[in-house]
Amino acid sequence: MPGRVLVIEDEPGLVLALTDRLGSVGYDVDCATDGEAGLERALETNYDVIILDIMLPRKDGFEVCRDLRKKGVTSAILMLTARDRTSDKVVGLKLGADDYLTKPFESAELLARIEALLRRVPPAGSKTPDPYVFGDVEVRLKSAEVLRDGKPVKLSAREFKLLKHFVEHPSVVLSRNELLDAVWGYNFIPSTRTVDVHVAWLRHKLEPDQRHPRHIVTVHGLGYRFEP
Ligand code: CA
């Protein structure tokens, strides 16, 4: 599964190894060796996946991640660190990273994670129109804003990610496990009940009649289906 990958990492040996390995399986790889340069590159080009080290010169990985999400960059972000600290994982994921890998890691594991990210994130520049309109709702994918009847609707980051996944997969049944994997990632496996709670919140905010949902429909025994 080819894709564009940006590696933001300051260890020359690791940069070389990653570039070689990713290139050898067909990825188009760019790299940047400090946080500022990485941020610039990531804003210039639509990458499918950004591999982001935490300890970086000029701007650390947390700041880069936060700035990217603030600027509406939707590339999948995989954070790397030498420290296996739960607090780092929580901070990274809260700032909008999609996955996390602790150094040292096997290249096979990295490749598997990247493939998983590419499966769950639609390819950069995919066909979903932006803004995407259904009923009286307008979803601005790049800027992560949602309007209803022209008025802004406040959604949490998870609610927005869930809504985004729905609008990018219209008219197909999505199981709770698929939604968990796509929106929460396998580092956070709470329970499928979490999906139901977030769906209820989305319906409350976006459906004309939340008891008889027209857009986010329950498919009994299977999951949910988004109907534009
Ligand atoms: Ca580093």
Side-chain angles (χ1 to χ4, degrees):
M1 194 192 300
R4 297 206 70 161
V5 179
L6 173 65
V7 176
I8 310 177
E9 165 65 64
D10 60 322
E11 252 172 76
L14 188 52
V15 172
L16 200 64
L18 287 176
T19 314
D20 272 7
R21 190 74 188 92
L22 292 168
S24 75
V25 290
Y27 290 106
D28 204 344
V29 191
D30 288 331
C31 30
T33 53
D34 70 66
E36 287 282 0
L39 182 61
E40 264 168 48
R41 291 215 80 144
L43 292 173
E44 268 161 22
T45 307
N46 222 348
Y47 291 101
D48 297 300
V49 178
I50 298 171
I51 299 174
L52 176 60
D53 190 26
I54 290 180
M55 305 285 274
L56 286 169
R58 293 178 73 203
K59 197 184 247 297
D60 74 32
F62 292 135
E63 286 178 83
V64 174
C65 182
R66 193 194 50 213
D67 289 357
L68 286 172
R69 292 306 188 222
K70 243 196 225 162
K71 291 185 191 289
V73 172
T74 55
S75 313
I77 298 176
L78 173 64
M79 295 199 91
L80 299 180
T81 184
R83 293 172 297 178
D84 185 15
R85 285 176 39 193
T86 316
S87 62
D88 279 355
K89 296 185 192 182
V90 173
V91 171
L93 294 168
K94 266 195 179 152
L95 291 174
D98 296 278
D99 201 359
Y100 199 98
L101 196 54
T102 306
K103 292 178 193 171
F105 49 82
E106 299 286 332
S107 66
E109 168 149 36
L110 178 78
L111 292 176
R113 299 286 187 103
I114 292 176
E115 274 169 33
L117 287 173
L118 287 173
R119 274 199 301 275
R120 89 168 86 119
V121 180
S126 75
K127 295 183 298 281
T128 308
D130 188 10
Y132 183 95
V133 178
F134 65 94
D136 56 0
V137 178
E138 178 180 331
V139 187
R140 297 180 178 166
L141 296 167
K142 252 218 135 83
S143 58
E145 290 170 298
V146 177
L147 306 179
R148 186 169 173 196
D149 257 338
K151 290 182 212 87
V153 179
K154 252 192 161 338
L155 296 188
S156 72
R158 289 292 175 198
E159 287 164 8
F160 183 78
K161 248 185 139 174
L162 180 60
L163 177 63
K164 183 167 177 282
H165 195 80
F166 276 128
V167 305
E168 284 168 344
H169 301 85
S171 308
V172 293
V173 179
L174 299 164
S175 73
R176 288 174 177 79
N177 279 324
E178 256 176 278
L179 291 167
L180 264 184
D181 191 39
V183 176
W184 282 265
Y186 51 81
N187 276 328
F188 274 168
I189 302 285
S191 79
T192 50
R193 168 101 184 101
T194 310
V195 177
D196 299 336
V197 171
H198 281 75
V199 164
W201 287 338
L202 277 183
R203 283 175 172 163
H204 176 69
K205 291 176 182 179
L206 303 176
E207 288 281 356
D209 177 357
Q210 53 174 304
R211 268 167 307 174
H212 302 99
R214 199 187 298 166
H215 300 295
I216 304 173
V217 181
T218 303
V219 183
H220 196 69
L222 293 174
Y224 294 101
R225 192 179 64 234
F226 172 70
E227 290 296 347

